[in-house]
Amino acid sequence: MKCKKLVDVGRRQFLRGGALAAAGAAAATVTPGQAKAAPAMAQVDYPSNRLANIADLKVNEPMDIEYPDADSPGVLLKLGQEVEGGVGPDGDIVAFSVLCPHKGYGLSYNGEDRTLNCPGHFSRFDVEAGGQQVWGHATQNLPQFTLRVDDKGDIYAEGCTDLIFGRPSNVL
Amino acid sequence: MAYKRQIDRLPIPPKDAKVHNVTCHYCIVGCGYKAYTWPRTKQGTLKDNAFGIDLSEQQGADGTWVAPSMYNVVKQDGEDVHLVVVPDKDCVVNSGLTSIRGARMAENRPSQVTGTQQQRLTDPMVWRNGTWQPTSWEDALDLVARVTARVITQGSEDDLVVSMFDHGGSAGGYENTWGTGKLYFQSMKVKNARIHNRPAYNSEVHSTRDMGVGELNYAYKDYEITDTIFMVGANSMETQTNLFLNHMRKGLENGARMVIVDPRRTLTVHTAEEIAGKENVLHLAIKPGSDMALFNAILTHIVDQGWTDKDFIEASTYRDGEAVAMDSAHPAGLGSLEYAMETCRTSPEEAAEICGVDAADIIKAAEWIAKPKEDGSRRKCVTCYEKGIIWGNDNYRTVGALVNVALATGNIGREGGGCCRLGGHQEGYYRPSDAHVGRPATYIDQLLIRGGGKVHHVWACDHYKTTLNAAEFKRVHRRRANIVKDAMDASATGTREQQVEAIVAAVNAGGLFVVDMDIIHSQIGQNAHVILPAAESNEMNLTSMNGERRLRLSEKYMDPPGQAMPDCLIAAGIARHMERVLREMGHDEYADKFKGYDWKTEEDAFMDGYHQGNPDVTYDRLRAMGNNGVQEPVVGYEGGKLVGTERLYADGKFDRHGREDKKALFCAAGWRGWQAPGKAQEQKSFRFWINNVRANIFWQNQFLDQENDFIQDRFPYPFVEMHPDDMAELSLNPGDLIEIHNENGATQGMAYPTDTAKRGQVAMVFGSPAGSQGNVVNPGVNELVLPDYKHTWGDIRKLADATPRAKAVSFKSKEYKG
């Protein structure tokens, strides 16, 4: 009991007072019987999916991707200059969900000012600033996919920073 | 790096979760939401849940989705419960849309479990031993009553100054305006009162009321069926978001044109162009403060072209010259159209000169508003306005000049018409008569600055952030409050009676005893001697009406934090203690005036106030009307439903002025340049016009948002939109901290490069806790003490390079670029 409390406190601090002390319980009940999912998982188990090889990417040309599954469209971008959270030798590769976290409309990329824009209600997100909502109605920044690049230059997605629109869990 | 929630799953509401009606408690639009609560140990599943949908499937656009901001864990009847607050697709106001404000209602609840909003006040506090110490309601209210009673019996009720909200939503509503109103306007007759956002107790729209036209007269659906939307000094895409997205947008998609009057190119202008095409949007980017001349020229052109609605004018407006003469309570005369035209007549060319826009565009605006269609039929036009002119130059005449246009074209009380303010908070005003306050009302800030008043009761107002001439106000208020704090510290070891003696002596020597009722420890609360914790919407049942007079009951779904309670019950507590103390002092007759507050709940206050004036309306009946509620005024109860009024004045009879003939009046709105003292000189003396503006992301003065990580990450400091060339001339980089200063004071913000800004004009977000724009606004008001917040000029200098927080922020254009 004491241990569990400590775990909860730790998670709460980690979330900076955000929202979710109940995450573990959620996963447990969603899939009854799999009690092993309950303890202190920082995030759900994500697939490690190869998205592309660095050689496939051209600066500022968005590549359509799907992650963590085929129903969740995203975009992979090489920006040509280092950005926070960017991976690869130039620290400039990022990937985001393109479902607007307001009402789930598909975002379109504007290469001129490097933003993702929502035709639904005119929200927009800055891919050079970690998907920060420049202006809009969403109550979170754009879910950013956690990337890893291996020795061969293959780019893998292995996690996500925020809840993707239209699902109660990023991995359904 | 942008703020990441690091949340990738949420609990699912079970099928048997409790469901509560919620009206968003932020802006005037009042979007409908549903709150689901359920026990901490329970859970729905992907297939079996409260939404009745298969959550194992990816939901499409507009599908049901709980964002992390819509979730929290709160106390309900003493137990921790899960809370989810999601938009209501069946509510006609928002049809399932959310705003960046309303979709954060859940995460902006206080929660000991998730740690949100731990800034909320939980206990009454009294200044003791050099700080605020928690105490009981009985102890705190006893001190409030003893000091207040002593002061007003030694002197008069004029020694009690009251700042009190008059709005709905938030912690306002019919319950709480009644509780406070009964205390100060019935038990007492307090004259020295002011409202949360302005320095007097007055209407923001006196002229339209004097003309007979209540300021909320349409239905939102009028925007969907109109020919033209005429918007003035408003930015609805940001500030009434779902009114724009769910109603104005439909109008534009149905072929309506839009005329927007604003010196600044707002996001509403840009978005309207995206929706309707540039050819159907006319942005009149006038010189600041010149609105009245523009309206007069539009009216003149309409009259001269014969586009007025002659039948309407004949049947529904005053036809016999002057009806009300200009006097100290009426900054303009009122009467017939012809009477008004003697003063208002302005050619497009004259207006073009004053307003700095093309005469051809003024004529085009008049045509879009009033030129009959090719088949000769009347053009429908909705007119809407807000702070740009309410807090602008010459409030009375400017608002009057705008209403003139709507009246002359017969566009009030008809489908696709209306002439309305857009509003800030929801409305929820039900109080005894305020006639004793007088007109013009006392300029309270100046009264306090001059040393007037001895006790100051402050109800959910933070004048530190939301008044004009704020720098001086703060200096004086703090100094006077400190006199009392020092006296309390010096008498700390004495009895209650000795302490009261010390406080009374201090206020008689220039001090001010401050009692602050609020949900958080506010900036003005730093000067308080007693702090009383209040509840807000959904911690209590709360009724309000929105901008189309739609009345809803927003239901209680959680406990207030700690000992906090609704303002109406705090007011009742003060009244009960006043009665007791006055009786002890031997003032039996006076004490009797404080009877009638034996309310146990907010519903009791509702029944004592609003229900008495509107006997058809009860909580049960409102609950049954759900999130669509009923549009006021309620005219009956039939078949289990409250019967409301879709739009006012459909019968062509105007009554807001109280005239028996029920004829609307026109306003003789004579242009006189800058009306408020000091504005013309300030404009000449300083380089930049400092426009004060709103942003969709913040609710009002950020009282909750200041503790919201997502919000503060985006704008850690108040943004000041500036043209990049102005920034270059001042050697400013994006995010640099700047100081705006003039003869009134100084404030600071963060430079935000904005291509569409005009040179020499900057736009600073209003009401920020990290930089009060009110510091640099001069004390100028109109004859009825309406502040001209919008017109301030200052110089700008760099304070510091962008901090690491500011450097992480995006400085890209806010305009959609699809």
Side-chain angles (χ1 to χ4, degrees), chain B residues 317-429:
Chain B
T317 71
Y318 187 77
R319 301 298 301 135
D320 197 18
E322 182 176 84
V324 178
M326 187 166 83
D327 61 23
S328 64
H330 300 86
L334 307 169
S336 66
L337 174 61
E338 292 76 12
Y339 165 79
M341 285 306 296
E342 290 171 20
T343 314
C344 295
R345 178 162 287 284
T346 306
S347 70
E349 292 72 24
E350 287 172 290
E353 177 67 26
I354 295 167
C355 302
V357 294
D358 286 346
D361 280 342
I362 297 174
I363 290 168
K364 191 174 177 183
E367 289 174 351
W368 284 15
I369 291 165
K371 187 179 182 182
K373 296 178 189 174
E374 284 184 6
D375 64 1
S377 63
R378 190 179 67 86
R379 181 170 284 279
K380 292 177 281 189
C381 177
V382 190
T383 302
C384 55
Y385 60 97
E386 194 40 45
K387 293 291 190 291
I389 56 172
I390 286 175
W391 284 359
N393 177 34
D394 214 347
N395 164 296
Y396 191 93
R397 294 186 183 185
T398 300
V399 173
L402 183 61
V403 179
N404 281 347
V405 175
L407 279 175
T409 53
N411 268 312
I412 304 179
R414 291 180 173 170
E415 285 191 3
C419 180
C420 302
R421 73 172 296 181
L422 285 155
H425 290 276
Q426 284 178 70
E427 303 292 331
Y429 188 93

Side-chain angles (χ1 to χ4, degrees), chain B residues 141-153 157 160 183-184 187-188 190 455 457 570-588 590-595 597:
Chain B
L141 292 176
D142 178 76
L143 182 61
V144 171
R146 284 187 188 281
V147 174
T148 305
R150 185 78 67 89
V151 167
I152 64 175
T153 52
E157 287 175 354
L160 171 58
L183 176 62
Y184 297 111
S187 298
M188 293 180 268
V190 170
V455 174
H457 291 188
I570 299 175
I574 293 175
R576 284 195 297 270
H577 282 264
M578 288 290 288
E579 185 195 354
R580 175 180 59 80
V581 167
L582 286 165
R583 219 172 284 290
E584 279 175 26
M585 292 166 69
H587 300 289
D588 272 336
Y590 202 176
D592 288 343
K593 293 188 177 181
F594 292 86
K595 286 182 163 178
Y597 292 89

Side-chain angles (χ1 to χ4, degrees), chain B residues 185-243:
Chain B
F185 290 170
Q186 184 170 306
S187 298
M188 293 180 268
K189 291 282 181 201
V190 170
K191 179 165 70 72
N192 290 328
R194 61 159 283 177
I195 294 173
H196 54 281
N197 65 358
R198 52 194 186 270
Y201 203 89
N202 51 10
S203 168
E204 290 188 305
V205 288
H206 274 305
S207 52
T208 188
R209 293 179 179 184
D210 290 349
M211 294 162 78
V213 182
E215 64 270 24
L216 300 175
N217 46 62
Y218 60 22
Y220 282 168
K221 70 178 180 189
D222 285 319
Y223 286 106
E224 300 171 27
I225 53 175
T226 194
D227 296 309
T228 300
I229 299 170
F230 182 22
M231 177 182 284
V232 177
N235 183 14
S236 295
M237 177 61 167
E238 298 224 44
T239 54
Q240 296 91 14
T241 306
N242 290 327
L243 169 58

Side-chain angles (χ1 to χ4, degrees), chain B residues 76-90:
Chain B
Q76 184 183 76
D77 300 325
E79 302 290 327
D80 288 327
V81 296
H82 296 275
L83 167 71
V84 157
V85 184
V86 292
D88 182 357
K89 291 178 182 168
D90 297 324

Side-chain angles (χ1 to χ4, degrees), chain B residues 641-660:
Chain B
K641 289 189 169 178
L642 292 165
V643 182
T645 309
E646 191 165 59
R647 57 181 71 73
L648 303 184
Y649 315 127
D651 59 358
K653 295 188 185 336
F654 293 87
D655 57 4
R656 189 62 182 83
H657 43 30
R659 291 174 62 88
E660 283 187 7

